[in-house]
Amino acid sequence: MNKGDLKTALAGVMKGEVSDDAETLKAASRDTSLFTRMPELVVYPKDAADVSAIVKEVGRARSAGASVSLTARAAGTDMSGGPLTTSVVVSFTKHMNRMGDVNVGRTTSYIDGYAVTEPGVFYRDFEKATMEKGLMLPSYPASREIAAMGGIVANNAGGERTLRYGKTEKYVEELDVVLSDGSQATFKPLAPSELEEKKKLQTLEGTIYREMDALLTEHAGLIEGRRPHVSKNSAGYALWSVRESKEVKPLYFNLAKLICGSQGTLALWTKAKLALVAPKEHRAMLVIFLGSPKHGEGGLAILPEIVRRVLEQNPESFESYDDHTFTLAVKFLPQMLAQMGFARAARLGIDFIPEAVMVASGGVPKLILMAEFAEDTIEAADAKALAAKEALADLHVQTKIEKNERESEKYWVVRRESFNLLRKNLHGLVSAPFIDDFVVPPSCYPEFLPKLNALLAEYKDNMVYTVAGHIGDGNLHILPLMDLTKEENRKVILELAPKVYELVIRAGGTTTGEHNDGIIRTPYLPMLFGPEMVALFKRTKKIFDPLNIFNPGKKVGGSFDDIKRDIIKGV
Ligand SMILES: Cc1cc2nc3c(=O)[nH]c(=O)nc-3n(C[C@H](O)[C@H](O)[C@H](O)COP(=O)(O)OP(=O)(O)OC[C@H]3O[C@@H](n4cnc5c(N)ncnc54)[C@H](O)[C@@H]3O)c2cc1C
């Protein structure tokens, strides 16, 4: 089927629009990964019925031998290439951006209410609506100002508060989905008797329930054995989460937990019911300066002990940034402050004087750790920060308590802005997320971090990088900036990533905690999970999407050649 026929066919079955103008296609050819794929068409469904009609039409074309497929796109901020395709993009932000009801009401020990949303709602608008009722989705990503709910659910996003509250999958209660034959279903928690009823359905939904239940039962041991034992994971299909229920008995079966994090490869979701929490109102921060220049990386030996003791006080977030980040932040301070209003910039400028002195005197610590404690009163938050400080007393590390959010602001500015700073100030270099999101157990830091740093140092002529991340749960973000016009730099991507992942896997970690597999990490799934588990991922894909209509090459079937071919070759 040629592009013109496909465009006419799709326009004929839906209320929304189909576009193939050059500007639209170009915009959809990029996300925030290091890849580009030029789509043939972008479709804008108006509702779930439109999504269903699109899927049916593409299924017909595919059955007739056309190599057409559908890749969902929400805000397009994915760092892995998840929303990129050479075929048809299903774009949700234009029309399917309606916020549903937000209801307050405590249902379990951690849920204080629910919100209903479509995938095209931007997180910033979602939060505005939930905060009107005093509630929030605590797994929001750092890209909270630019990301939409579509990708937050489909990537199983996490962020600074995940340490205390968990990732998005914990909050995905129900998903309305369009399956690969165009039929619609609602995936939600099913009690055993309800599951048996679903398995009787003579539809694709019934087949999915029958075959997934059989797969999970038959391979329960393997699945549990290969489940990543780190605090967060977005790699592979979360087969271990479908039957998970810590709070509810009898054991519930919820396929929404599998759709979450599956990057639009199993179904397209059209409506979500998400659990929410009431955030704590007051915050205090313990800042820990680790590894003085005198002690070098030797200072890192006590890092796991610091993490363990601080975690005992249940911080809401426990973040970190390294000496490279610190030095760059001070160097680019004027540019950073210039983006802010005068009063805030002046206040922060003064707050940063001690940091400027540290840089000038060569006294920059190797790592800065920020443990933030959130409680209902400022006194309770301060008390937690103080208790954490006291717990570290015999380790003789330099610490400082920031008694409220106004005082801790400068640390958050550096942590959140460091990547943007790099990106904006090093012209000719592009951000190359390829080892951007691995997770290791914090207990391995003394062994792991020096090896990682040594490895990265080997490539210092090819890239500029900083290490920042969620130190409390072992999720480190390395976002190198590179000149990708040079072949030798592009080669580094496929050379360095397996070396880093080897270290990560040997330490018991995972390749991605939040950002997901996409084009960049799908080929590493066999290395992480082994062939038997990868075979289960393939079987799962086949059960849901036998014609491979949804986002081919992500999670299943992606190759190193895809990476080589689609890497951007310039700025
Ligand atoms: C500066 C920066 C910081 C970031 N920080 C974080 C972070 O802290 N944590 C984190 O998790 N991520 C982070 N990200 C990555 C990204 O922003 C998030 O994963 C975000 O949740 C993606 O949302 P999106 O709406 O942009 O999704 P998109 O990029 O549009 O899509 C992401 C994936 O979801 C699929 N998808 C979208 N809509 C649907 C649907 N309706 N049905 C099925 N599949 C769908 C797409 O096909 C794609 O595979 C960051 C990115 C940037 C640029």
Side-chain angles (χ1 to χ4, degrees):
M1 184 182 252
N2 68 34
K3 179 170 137 179
D5 290 345
L6 182 63
K7 186 178 174 194
T8 311
L10 289 174
V13 295
M14 62 188 291
K15 300 178 285 293
E17 308 82 33
V18 185
S19 175
D20 63 351
D21 70 84
E23 207 177 310
T24 303
L25 298 185
K26 190 167 174 231
S29 73
R30 293 297 313 274
D31 52 3
T32 62
S33 72
L34 45 69
F35 300 109
T36 180
R37 279 186 186 172
M38 190 61 75
E40 280 203 302
L41 297 172
V42 177
V43 296
Y44 302 97
K46 289 216 159 156
D47 53 22
D50 266 5
V51 178
S52 166
I54 294 164
V55 175
K56 283 183 182 153
E57 193 54 39
V58 165
R60 270 193 287 276
R62 188 114 190 157
S63 302
S67 70
V68 51
S69 62
L70 293 170
T71 294
R73 185 178 180 96
T77 67
D78 191 297
M79 281 190 172
S80 72
L84 303 184
T85 176
T86 51
S87 192
V88 180
V89 172
V90 185
S91 180
F92 286 100
T93 43
K94 185 170 181 186
H95 298 302
M96 294 185 65
N97 54 16
R98 288 157 291 227
M99 184 73 199
D101 290 342
V102 180
N103 292 311
V104 184
R106 179 158 270 249
T107 54
T108 71
S109 60
Y110 69 91
I111 297 173
D112 296 307
Y114 289 94
V116 172
T117 180
E118 288 188 331
V121 174
F122 278 85
Y123 177 78
R124 54 181 186 258
D125 299 326
F126 177 87
E127 190 185 277
K128 204 164 157 230
T130 62
M131 284 308 287
E132 276 170 20
K133 301 271 175 82
L135 299 175
M136 77 184 307
L137 177 73
S139 60
Y140 63 81
S143 48
R144 51 184 287 158
E145 294 302 322
I146 51 176
M149 303 313 294
I152 287 178
V153 169
N155 271 351
N156 189 8
E160 63 208 23
R161 296 196 187 172
T162 287
L163 179 69
R164 182 150 174 184
Y165 293 101
K167 292 217 307 164
T168 302
E169 69 170 345
K170 186 169 169 188
Y171 299 92
V172 174
E173 186 77 4
E174 282 182 32
L175 289 179
D176 285 1
V177 295
V178 173
L179 301 174
S180 63
D181 64 349
S183 60
Q184 297 184 44
T186 300
F187 289 150
K188 60 181 185 180
L190 298 180
S193 59
E194 294 170 311
L195 173 61
E196 290 313 310
E197 285 308 305
K198 285 282 185 192
K199 282 162 66 179
K200 290 180 191 154
L201 293 174
Q202 292 308 308
T203 56
L204 178 58
E205 185 187 0
T207 307
I208 290 172
Y209 276 112
R210 279 191 299 280
E211 297 196 8
M212 285 309 298
D213 190 29
L215 182 150
L216 296 173
T217 307
E218 220 176 293
H219 301 284
L222 173 67
I223 293 168
E224 198 43 47
R226 297 290 154 82
R227 172 198 191 114
H229 288 287
V230 277
S231 56
K232 61 214 290 206
N233 172 63
S234 275
Y237 288 132
L239 295 173
W240 41 81
S241 298
V242 177
R243 285 194 171 129
E244 187 145 274
S245 171
K246 291 199 176 72
E247 305 220 342
V248 202
K249 280 186 180 151
L251 216 57
Y252 273 65
F253 190 98
N254 190 353
L255 289 173
K257 306 284 181 189
L258 179 62
I259 300 303
C260 178
S262 68
Q263 288 204 303
T265 59
L266 301 179
L268 302 183
W269 75 266
T270 55
K271 196 160 85 177
K273 181 181 172 193
L274 301 174
L276 305 171
V277 302
K280 304 282 179 196
E281 298 238 326
H282 298 278
R283 288 175 175 73
M285 183 184 280
L286 176 69
V287 189
I288 304 156
F289 305 90
L290 193 61
S292 67
K294 200 170 69 192
H295 297 111
E297 289 190 341
L300 296 179
I302 49 169
L303 186 53
E305 187 55 19
I306 293 177
V307 171
R308 193 186 66 73
R309 293 189 196 182
V310 170
L311 289 181
E312 274 176 6
Q313 301 303 324
N314 195 17
E316 180 178 56
S317 56
F318 193 5
E319 303 283 298
S320 69
Y321 54 87
D322 68 350
D323 47 349
H324 294 161
T325 314
F326 187 100
T327 308
L328 278 162
V330 171
K331 184 170 166 200
F332 295 122
L333 191 60
Q335 288 91 320
M336 202 159 70
L337 298 181
Q339 303 163 22
M340 302 170 185
F342 177 75
R344 188 171 171 226
R347 176 164 54 74
L348 278 169
I350 295 168
D351 284 359
F352 268 107
I353 290 172
E355 278 71 21
V357 171
M358 273 188 193
V359 171
S361 62
V364 177
K366 201 85 201 122
L367 266 183
I368 292 192
L369 314 181
M370 309 151 51
E372 190 158 69
F373 299 88
E375 299 300 328
D376 292 327
T377 63
I378 191 65
E379 291 76 19
D382 280 348
K384 281 275 178 90
L386 189 61
K389 182 181 164 74
E390 283 168 358
L392 303 181
D394 62 318
L395 298 176
H396 307 294
V397 283
Q398 196 188 338
T399 57
K400 191 173 172 211
I401 289 182
E402 304 293 359
K403 281 179 166 293
N404 53 50
E405 286 176 79
R406 148 76 189 81
E407 286 185 7
S408 56
E409 188 183 1
K410 70 174 174 181
Y411 297 98
W412 278 118
V413 168
V414 177
R415 168 71 184 88
R416 290 181 179 138
E417 280 299 311
S418 57
F419 174 59
N420 275 338
L421 266 179
L422 269 181
R423 215 160 47 154
K424 286 182 193 152
N425 290 292
L426 297 171
H427 301 291
L429 302 183
V430 290
S431 122
F434 66 100
I435 42 170
D436 47 301
D437 191 35
F438 57 80
V439 187
V440 290
S443 57
C444 79
Y445 286 151
E447 236 190 286
F448 176 81
L449 289 177
K451 282 187 192 155
L452 175 72
N453 284 333
L455 196 51
L456 296 176
E458 284 176 33
Y459 293 91
K460 66 178 185 332
D461 294 338
N462 303 95
M463 58 193 206
V464 182
Y465 65 90
T466 57
V467 183
H470 312 290
I471 199 83
D473 47 24
N475 184 197
L476 302 182
H477 297 311
I478 302 174
L479 285 159
L481 291 174
M482 303 174 88
D483 177 355
L484 292 180
T485 58
K486 296 188 177 148
E487 168 72 15
E488 72 258 30
N489 290 344
R490 295 201 297 272
K491 272 192 180 156
V492 165
I493 287 159
L494 281 172
E495 197 182 297
L496 176 56
K499 291 183 186 172
V500 171
Y501 292 149
E502 205 184 308
L503 283 183
V504 166
I505 294 167
R506 219 183 303 141
T510 182
T511 49
T512 173
E514 308 173 330
H515 299 173
N516 222 300
D517 296 313
I519 300 171
I520 191 70
R521 271 176 292 266
T522 291
Y524 294 101
L525 288 174
M527 184 176 173
L528 176 63
F529 287 106
E532 298 101 329
M533 195 67 181
V534 167
L536 291 191
F537 294 159
K538 283 187 186 155
R539 216 173 115 190
T540 301
K541 170 74 176 172
K542 196 111 191 145
I543 292 169
F544 275 86
D545 182 18
L547 293 178
N548 203 11
I549 286 176
F550 292 142
N551 212 4
K554 322 286 168 62
K555 297 279 178 189
V556 165
S559 69
F560 291 109
D561 282 342
D562 292 347
I563 297 179
K564 275 189 219 150
R565 187 191 56 234
D566 295 335
I567 282 185
I568 48 170
K569 310 211 168 42
V571 180

